[in-house]
């Protein structure tokens, strides 16, 4: 077989062995995802799958880089697709590019099926269904409690935020390209809170939630209005940041984060050292199993 006809540039054989696991992780980190195709081989399929899963946890988990080929492949092969993306740009661009194709194939492409954005989207729908009357507006307030074992957040979320800030202008252009008309406002217009305010609901300072919840809720409300003639519900999302010391940290870290995220070198620093720039809240290891289970209880 000619070199150009080979499906993979590199095959890591014995990938489930002690040394092989580290080779796989290094290849996964160093490979150009678009041009460099590689594979693993070994005697035990289950162990190989575990190695690939472990290696995948060391990679940038942003959907904007790796999600579209999966969506495209699912549609082409008639398979439904579900993901846990919290990236508005990925979610909205996939809807714009593949909505008609998915409909023609009878395929469901469902994003944000995780913490982003099931509590927000389903919460609004539940409240709307349970309320006796017309629900015109909903606000959600998110607060964090680390529990007895303390804890951290995996840096995949951090990396999504880094690229999201860097790509804000492209998201604006995408939304202009989609060209949807504003939803009608029913009842009093929901007043947006400030960039930083004291929340009586949380009894702490809060900021607007920067995730995909507002865009996901709005998309659902648009569908219900345009297809089922339901009255749309306005939605605002906020997250608590704590007391005055936390606010000072947030302002300092937020300014540095925003500046660095605008430049490729700065983004590399943020992604390489998430724990340093986030005051330990985001780490490459994420929470331990003990932290996950103890804090969940």
């Amino acid at each position: 077989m000619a070199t150009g006809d080979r499906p993979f540039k590199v095959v890591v054989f014995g990938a489930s062995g002690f040394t092989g696991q580290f080779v796989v992780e290094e290849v996964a980190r160093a490979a150009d995802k678009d041009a460099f195709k590689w594979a693993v081989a070994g005697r035990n399929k289950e162990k190989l799958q575990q190695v690939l899963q472990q290696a995948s946890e060391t990679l940038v988990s942003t959907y904007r880089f790796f999600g579209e080929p999966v969506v495209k492949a699912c549609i082409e092969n008639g398979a439904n697709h579900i993901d846990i993306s919290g990236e508005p740009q990925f979610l909205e661009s996939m809807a714009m590019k593949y909505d008609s194709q998915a409909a023609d194939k009878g395929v469901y492409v469902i994003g944000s099926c995780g913490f982003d954005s099931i509590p927000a989207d389903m919460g609004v729908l539940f409240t709307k269904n349970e309320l006796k009357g017309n629900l015109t507006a909903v606000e959600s307030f998110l607060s964090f409690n680390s529990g007895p074992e303390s804890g951290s957040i995996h840096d995949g979320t951090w990396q999504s935020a880094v690229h999201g800030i860097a790509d804000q202008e492209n998201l604006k252009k995408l939304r202009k390209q989609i060209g949807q008309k504003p939803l009608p406002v029913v009842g009093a217009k929901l007043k947006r809170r400030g960039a930083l305010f004291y929340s009586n609901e949380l009894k702490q300072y809060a900021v607007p939630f920067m995730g995909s919840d507002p865009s996901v809720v709005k998309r659902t409300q648009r569908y219900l209005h345009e297809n089922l003639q339901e009255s749309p519900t306005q939605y605002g999302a906020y997250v608590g940041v704590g007391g005055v010391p936390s606010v000072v940290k947030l302002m300092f870290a937020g300014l540095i984060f925003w500046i660095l995220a605008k430049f490729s070198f700065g983004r590399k620093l943020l992604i390489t050292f998430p724990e340093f720039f986030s005051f330990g809240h985001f780490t490459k290891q994420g929470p331990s199993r003990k932290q996950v289970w103890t804090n969940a209880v």
Side-chain angles (χ1 to χ4, degrees):
M1 180 183 292
T3 302
D5 296 328
R6 293 175 181 172
F8 303 108
K9 297 284 188 181
V10 170
V11 176
V12 182
F13 188 75
S16 60
F18 179 79
T19 304
Q21 297 178 53
F22 295 100
V23 174
V24 170
E25 291 183 15
E26 190 57 33
V27 173
R29 273 192 291 265
D32 182 332
K33 307 306 181 300
D34 294 323
F36 192 90
K37 293 184 178 181
W38 58 284
V40 298
R43 292 174 294 178
N44 189 306
K45 182 178 179 180
E46 183 177 347
K47 287 184 178 180
L48 288 174
Q49 290 173 332
Q50 292 174 354
V51 170
L52 289 174
Q53 176 64 29
Q54 181 177 339
S56 70
E57 292 174 356
T58 69
L59 298 175
V60 176
S61 59
T62 51
Y63 285 84
R64 72 180 65 237
F65 297 129
F66 308 115
E68 183 171 358
V70 181
V71 172
K72 188 172 183 290
C74 285
I75 293 173
E76 290 175 348
N77 293 279
N80 295 326
H81 171 91
I82 297 177
D83 65 54
I84 58 171
S85 171
E87 302 170 37
Q89 183 165 343
F90 170 75
L91 296 165
E92 294 175 36
S93 63
M94 291 303 96
M96 184 184 72
K97 289 182 180 180
Y98 297 106
D99 182 67
S100 60
Q101 297 178 41
D104 291 342
K105 285 275 192 174
V107 168
Y108 290 96
V109 179
I110 308 174
S112 58
C113 286
F115 184 74
D116 289 342
S117 298
I118 287 177
D121 203 22
M122 299 301 292
V124 171
L125 292 176
F126 175 81
T127 306
K128 196 171 186 176
N129 291 335
E130 293 296 312
L131 183 69
K132 295 180 180 179
N134 189 19
L135 181 65
T136 62
V138 171
E139 289 182 314
S140 67
F141 296 86
L142 172 65
S143 62
F144 294 97
N145 296 298
S146 60
E149 291 293 325
S150 188
S152 60
I153 304 173
H154 192 274
D155 78 323
T157 301
W158 173 263
Q159 294 177 40
S160 294
V162 170
H163 293 294
I165 293 294
D167 230 14
Q168 280 181 324
E169 291 304 314
N170 286 330
L171 178 57
K172 291 179 182 178
K173 292 177 182 178
L174 173 64
R175 287 173 172 170
K176 286 183 179 179
Q177 189 177 352
I178 294 173
Q180 293 174 329
K181 295 180 180 179
L183 285 172
V185 175
V186 179
K189 183 176 176 59
L190 180 63
K191 293 182 179 180
R192 302 301 178 187
R193 312 257 185 149
L196 175 66
F197 63 95
Y198 185 81
S199 167
N200 291 317
E201 294 84 0
L202 297 177
K203 304 302 180 186
Q204 59 179 282
Y205 286 94
V207 298
F209 181 63
M210 300 299 290
S212 60
D213 289 1
S215 62
V216 170
V217 171
K218 189 173 183 178
R219 185 174 59 192
T220 297
Q221 294 304 310
R222 180 178 298 280
Y223 173 83
L224 295 175
H225 173 67
E226 294 179 349
N227 294 275
L228 302 179
Q229 291 72 52
E230 291 190 12
S231 175
T233 300
Q234 303 170 77
Y235 175 71
Y238 303 96
V239 57
V241 296
V244 173
S246 298
V247 170
V248 174
K249 283 184 179 181
L250 175 68
M251 294 176 66
F252 177 71
L255 179 61
I256 294 177
F257 182 92
W258 187 86
I259 294 173
L260 291 179
K262 295 295 182 180
F263 304 95
S264 59
F265 176 72
R267 291 193 292 274
K268 186 174 182 179
L269 284 176
L270 290 170
I271 290 172
T272 304
F273 305 105
E275 192 166 358
F276 174 79
F277 286 106
S278 69
F279 296 100
H281 293 299
F282 293 87
T283 67
K284 291 186 177 295
Q285 296 76 26
S288 66
R289 288 182 178 272
K290 185 177 181 180
Q291 287 172 332
V292 170
W293 286 107
T294 302
N295 293 338
V297 173

